[in-house]
Amino acid sequence: MAMNKLPRSFYIRPTLTVAKNLLGKSLVRKTHRTTLIGKIVEVEAYLGDQDPASHAYRGKTKRNDVMFWEGGHLYVYFTYGMHYCANVVTGPPNVGHAVLLRALEPIDGMDFMKAQRGSQIKDQQLTDGPAKLCEALAIDARDNGADLLGETIFITEGENIPRSQILSSSRIGITRAIAHRWRFYIRDNPWVSR
DNA sequence: TAGTTGATCGTCT
DNA sequence: GACGATCAACTAA
Protein backbone atom coordinates (compact mmCIF):
# COMPACT_ATOMS: atom_id res chain seq x y z
CA MET A 1 0.00 0.00 0.00
CA ALA A 2 1.34 3.36 -1.02
CA MET A 3 1.86 5.59 2.00
CA ASN A 4 2.66 8.84 0.22
CA LYS A 5 0.76 11.79 1.60
CA LEU A 6 -1.40 13.57 -0.91
CA PRO A 7 0.32 16.87 -1.81
CA ARG A 8 -1.13 20.29 -1.05
CA SER A 9 -1.98 20.64 -4.75
CA PHE A 10 -4.47 17.74 -4.46
CA TYR A 11 -6.67 19.88 -2.19
CA ILE A 12 -6.27 23.16 -4.10
CA ARG A 13 -8.70 22.17 -6.84
CA PRO A 14 -12.45 22.53 -7.43
CA THR A 15 -14.27 21.10 -4.44
CA LEU A 16 -16.49 18.65 -6.34
CA THR A 17 -13.36 17.25 -8.03
CA VAL A 18 -11.59 16.83 -4.71
CA ALA A 19 -14.69 15.21 -3.18
CA LYS A 20 -14.89 12.52 -5.87
CA ASN A 21 -11.13 11.97 -5.82
CA LEU A 22 -11.09 11.44 -2.06
CA LEU A 23 -13.11 8.23 -2.50
CA GLY A 24 -10.80 5.24 -2.15
CA LYS A 25 -8.03 7.23 -0.45
CA SER A 26 -6.70 6.22 2.98
CA LEU A 27 -7.28 8.40 6.02
CA VAL A 28 -4.41 7.82 8.46
CA ARG A 29 -4.73 8.76 12.12
CA LYS A 30 -1.78 8.39 14.48
CA THR A 31 -2.45 8.00 18.19
CA HIS A 32 0.13 7.70 20.91
CA ARG A 33 0.09 3.91 20.58
CA THR A 34 -1.23 2.89 17.20
CA THR A 35 -1.92 3.90 13.65
CA LEU A 36 -5.52 3.82 12.47
CA ILE A 37 -6.35 3.62 8.78
CA GLY A 38 -9.70 3.85 7.00
CA LYS A 39 -10.59 3.92 3.31
CA ILE A 40 -12.83 6.88 2.47
CA VAL A 41 -16.06 5.50 0.95
CA GLU A 42 -18.57 8.37 1.35
CA VAL A 43 -18.24 12.18 1.33
CA GLU A 44 -20.30 15.34 0.90
CA ALA A 45 -19.17 18.65 -0.65
CA TYR A 46 -20.06 22.00 0.94
CA LEU A 47 -19.45 25.00 -1.30
CA GLY A 48 -19.27 27.99 1.00
CA ASP A 49 -20.98 31.14 -0.22
CA GLN A 50 -22.73 29.33 -3.11
CA ASP A 51 -24.33 26.85 -0.76
CA PRO A 52 -27.08 27.70 1.78
CA ALA A 53 -26.44 24.39 3.56
CA SER A 54 -22.79 25.24 4.27
CA HIS A 55 -21.55 26.58 7.58
CA ALA A 56 -19.59 29.13 5.53
CA TYR A 57 -22.64 30.47 3.63
CA ARG A 58 -22.91 33.61 5.75
CA GLY A 59 -19.21 34.31 5.87
CA LYS A 60 -16.46 33.68 8.34
CA THR A 61 -17.30 33.16 12.03
CA LYS A 62 -15.41 31.92 15.04
CA ARG A 63 -16.67 28.38 14.47
CA ASN A 64 -16.07 28.06 10.72
CA ASP A 65 -12.78 29.97 10.51
CA VAL A 66 -10.80 26.88 9.48
CA MET A 67 -13.00 26.45 6.40
CA PHE A 68 -11.39 29.62 5.06
CA TRP A 69 -7.85 28.33 5.46
CA GLU A 70 -5.84 26.94 2.58
CA GLY A 71 -6.94 23.50 1.30
CA GLY A 72 -5.48 20.48 3.06
CA HIS A 73 -6.51 21.31 6.60
CA LEU A 74 -9.07 19.54 8.81
CA TYR A 75 -12.24 21.35 9.92
CA VAL A 76 -13.83 19.62 12.92
CA TYR A 77 -17.09 20.91 14.39
CA PHE A 78 -19.28 19.89 17.31
CA THR A 79 -23.00 19.32 16.76
CA TYR A 80 -26.20 18.11 18.44
CA GLY A 81 -24.55 18.63 21.80
CA MET A 82 -22.59 15.39 21.57
CA HIS A 83 -21.05 14.62 18.17
CA TYR A 84 -18.04 15.70 16.15
CA CYS A 85 -17.82 15.73 12.34
CA ALA A 86 -14.65 16.09 10.25
CA ASN A 87 -14.19 17.93 6.95
CA VAL A 88 -11.31 18.31 4.51
CA VAL A 89 -10.83 21.98 3.57
CA THR A 90 -10.47 22.52 -0.19
CA GLY A 91 -9.38 25.29 -2.53
CA PRO A 92 -7.20 28.36 -2.02
CA PRO A 93 -7.34 30.47 1.16
CA ASN A 94 -10.47 32.53 1.94
CA VAL A 95 -12.84 30.44 -0.20
CA GLY A 96 -14.72 28.57 2.53
CA HIS A 97 -15.18 25.19 0.84
CA ALA A 98 -14.87 21.77 2.49
CA VAL A 99 -15.68 18.07 2.05
CA LEU A 100 -17.41 16.24 4.91
CA LEU A 101 -16.06 12.74 5.58
CA ARG A 102 -19.21 10.63 5.99
CA ALA A 103 -18.00 7.03 6.08
CA LEU A 104 -14.85 4.91 6.14
CA GLU A 105 -14.05 1.25 5.61
CA PRO A 106 -11.73 0.22 8.47
CA ILE A 107 -8.36 -0.96 7.15
CA ASP A 108 -6.13 -1.03 10.22
CA GLY A 109 -6.58 -0.55 13.97
CA MET A 110 -10.04 -2.08 14.30
CA ASP A 111 -9.38 -3.12 17.87
CA PHE A 112 -8.76 0.48 18.87
CA MET A 113 -11.85 1.59 16.95
CA LYS A 114 -14.00 -0.97 18.77
CA ALA A 115 -12.65 0.19 22.09
CA GLN A 116 -13.58 3.75 21.15
CA ARG A 117 -17.08 2.87 19.97
CA GLY A 118 -17.94 0.20 22.53
CA SER A 119 -17.19 -3.47 22.08
CA GLN A 120 -20.84 -4.37 21.52
CA ILE A 121 -20.88 -2.54 18.22
CA LYS A 122 -21.09 -4.50 14.97
CA ASP A 123 -18.10 -4.14 12.66
CA GLN A 124 -20.17 -2.52 9.94
CA GLN A 125 -21.39 0.21 12.25
CA LEU A 126 -17.92 1.20 13.41
CA THR A 127 -17.40 4.01 10.89
CA ASP A 128 -20.55 4.22 8.72
CA GLY A 129 -21.46 7.80 9.61
CA PRO A 130 -19.71 11.16 10.08
CA ALA A 131 -19.93 11.22 13.87
CA LYS A 132 -19.19 7.51 14.16
CA LEU A 133 -15.93 7.74 12.26
CA CYS A 134 -14.80 10.64 14.45
CA GLU A 135 -15.49 8.63 17.57
CA ALA A 136 -13.77 5.55 16.15
CA LEU A 137 -10.64 7.50 15.18
CA ALA A 138 -10.67 9.66 18.35
CA ILE A 139 -11.09 12.88 16.35
CA ASP A 140 -12.40 15.83 18.38
CA ALA A 141 -12.10 19.61 18.76
CA ARG A 142 -8.37 19.32 19.37
CA ASP A 143 -7.97 18.22 15.77
CA ASN A 144 -9.72 21.29 14.35
CA GLY A 145 -7.26 23.07 12.08
CA ALA A 146 -4.86 20.11 11.82
CA ASP A 147 -2.65 20.21 8.74
CA LEU A 148 -3.20 17.16 6.54
CA LEU A 149 0.44 17.37 5.53
CA GLY A 150 1.45 16.98 9.18
CA GLU A 151 2.15 13.85 11.20
CA THR A 152 -0.93 13.17 13.33
CA ILE A 153 -3.64 12.94 10.71
CA PHE A 154 -3.22 12.82 6.94
CA ILE A 155 -4.47 11.18 3.74
CA THR A 156 -2.50 8.85 1.47
CA GLU A 157 -3.00 7.41 -1.97
CA GLY A 158 -5.26 4.40 -1.68
CA GLU A 159 -6.99 2.75 -4.58
CA ASN A 160 -8.29 4.53 -7.63
CA ILE A 161 -12.06 4.26 -7.91
CA PRO A 162 -13.36 4.11 -11.53
CA ARG A 163 -15.91 6.76 -12.35
CA SER A 164 -18.50 4.03 -13.00
CA GLN A 165 -18.29 2.97 -9.34
CA ILE A 166 -18.98 6.45 -7.98
CA LEU A 167 -22.63 7.34 -7.31
CA SER A 168 -24.11 10.65 -6.19
CA SER A 169 -27.20 11.70 -4.26
CA SER A 170 -28.64 14.55 -2.26
CA ARG A 171 -26.82 15.31 0.95
CA ILE A 172 -28.12 13.79 4.17
CA GLY A 173 -29.42 15.53 7.26
CA ILE A 174 -29.85 19.00 5.77
CA THR A 175 -32.98 20.93 4.78
CA ARG A 176 -31.54 23.53 2.40
CA ALA A 177 -30.21 23.07 -1.14
CA ILE A 178 -31.34 19.46 -1.33
CA ALA A 179 -31.49 19.74 -5.14
CA HIS A 180 -27.71 19.57 -5.29
CA ARG A 181 -26.43 16.02 -5.58
CA TRP A 182 -23.19 16.66 -3.76
CA ARG A 183 -22.99 13.43 -1.78
CA PHE A 184 -20.64 10.91 -3.40
CA TYR A 185 -20.09 7.29 -2.43
CA ILE A 186 -18.62 4.03 -3.67
CA ARG A 187 -21.19 1.74 -5.26
CA ASP A 188 -22.02 -1.43 -3.30
CA ASN A 189 -19.57 -0.67 -0.50
CA PRO A 190 -21.09 -2.09 2.71
CA TRP A 191 -19.58 0.68 4.86
CA VAL A 192 -21.56 3.47 3.22
CA SER A 193 -24.11 4.90 5.68
CA ARG A 194 -27.67 3.47 5.87
C1' DT B 1 -38.73 -2.40 8.88
C1' DA B 2 -40.43 2.30 9.18
C1' DG B 3 -41.15 6.03 11.87
C1' DT B 4 -40.50 8.75 16.20
C1' DT B 5 -37.93 10.65 19.92
C1' DG B 6 -34.50 11.80 23.60
C1' DA B 7 -29.87 13.11 24.49
C1' DT B 8 -27.23 17.56 25.11
C1' DC B 9 -24.75 22.17 24.18
C1' DG B 10 -22.16 25.60 21.26
C1' DT B 11 -23.32 28.87 17.96
C1' DC B 12 -25.93 32.22 15.81
C1' DT B 13 -30.38 34.97 15.61
C1' DG C 1 -34.26 31.14 22.59
C1' DA C 2 -34.04 27.84 18.72
C1' DC C 3 -31.78 24.64 16.28
C1' DG C 4 -28.31 21.64 14.19
C1' DA C 5 -23.81 18.51 8.00
C1' DT C 6 -26.23 12.84 14.31
C1' DC C 7 -27.01 8.57 16.60
C1' DA C 8 -29.23 4.93 19.19
C1' DA C 9 -33.13 3.31 21.43
C1' DC C 10 -37.71 2.70 21.27
C1' DT C 11 -42.47 1.83 19.36
C1' DA C 12 -45.78 -0.04 16.27
C1' DA C 13 -47.16 -3.30 13.00
Side-chain angles (χ1 to χ4, degrees):
Chain A
M1 179 191 303
M3 287 299 284
N4 307 334
K5 281 174 201 163
L6 299 177
R8 183 76 64 193
S9 56
F10 176 90
Y11 302 100
I12 314 288
R13 292 185 298 162
T15 301
L16 296 178
T17 301
V18 177
K20 285 178 255 193
N21 279 285
L22 279 170
L23 295 175
K25 301 291 190 287
S26 292
L27 178 65
V28 181
R29 201 299 191 270
K30 302 250 186 190
T31 73
H32 49 98
R33 279 213 173 280
T34 70
T35 299
L36 311 172
I37 305 178
K39 181 170 88 174
I40 299 170
V41 299
E42 178 182 351
V43 298
E44 285 178 359
Y46 285 86
L47 273 54
D49 60 356
Q50 310 168 31
D51 180 2
S54 170
H55 288 172
Y57 184 56
R58 293 163 191 282
K60 197 187 291 191
T61 67
K62 186 172 184 180
R63 172 173 67 158
N64 68 23
D65 186 62
V66 172
M67 286 187 81
F68 292 86
W69 293 11
E70 182 177 47
H73 289 88
L74 197 70
Y75 167 51
V76 180
Y77 67 89
F78 181 66
T79 192
Y80 290 105
M82 64 187 77
H83 296 306
Y84 292 99
C85 295
N87 300 249
V88 172
V89 177
T90 59
N94 296 310
V95 170
H97 287 203
V99 175
L100 172 68
L101 302 176
R102 280 200 59 89
L104 303 175
E105 174 180 331
I107 301 296
D108 206 358
M110 278 184 80
D111 290 343
F112 183 99
M113 296 184 200
K114 280 183 186 169
Q116 285 291 300
R117 299 268 297 126
S119 51
Q120 311 285 44
I121 205 81
K122 295 189 175 74
D123 287 0
Q124 270 192 17
Q125 307 186 65
L126 235 33
T127 52
D128 66 337
K132 298 181 197 179
L133 72 87
C134 283
E135 186 175 31
L137 300 202
I139 293 171
D140 62 27
R142 291 173 313 212
D143 299 296
N144 189 36
D147 188 348
L148 294 176
L149 278 82
E151 294 305 319
T152 64
I153 183 161
F154 51 89
I155 300 174
T156 66
E157 298 170 23
E159 49 190 286
N160 232 359
I161 308 298
R163 196 192 305 271
S164 63
Q165 297 307 111
I166 298 177
L167 300 182
S168 67
S169 79
S170 292
R171 293 170 292 179
I172 292 178
I174 59 169
T175 55
R176 288 178 278 210
I178 55 175
H180 293 304
R181 299 172 65 83
W182 289 343
R183 170 176 175 251
F184 304 99
Y185 57 100
I186 299 177
R187 173 183 227 148
D188 295 331
N189 186 291
W191 304 88
V192 169
S193 68
R194 66 171 71 185

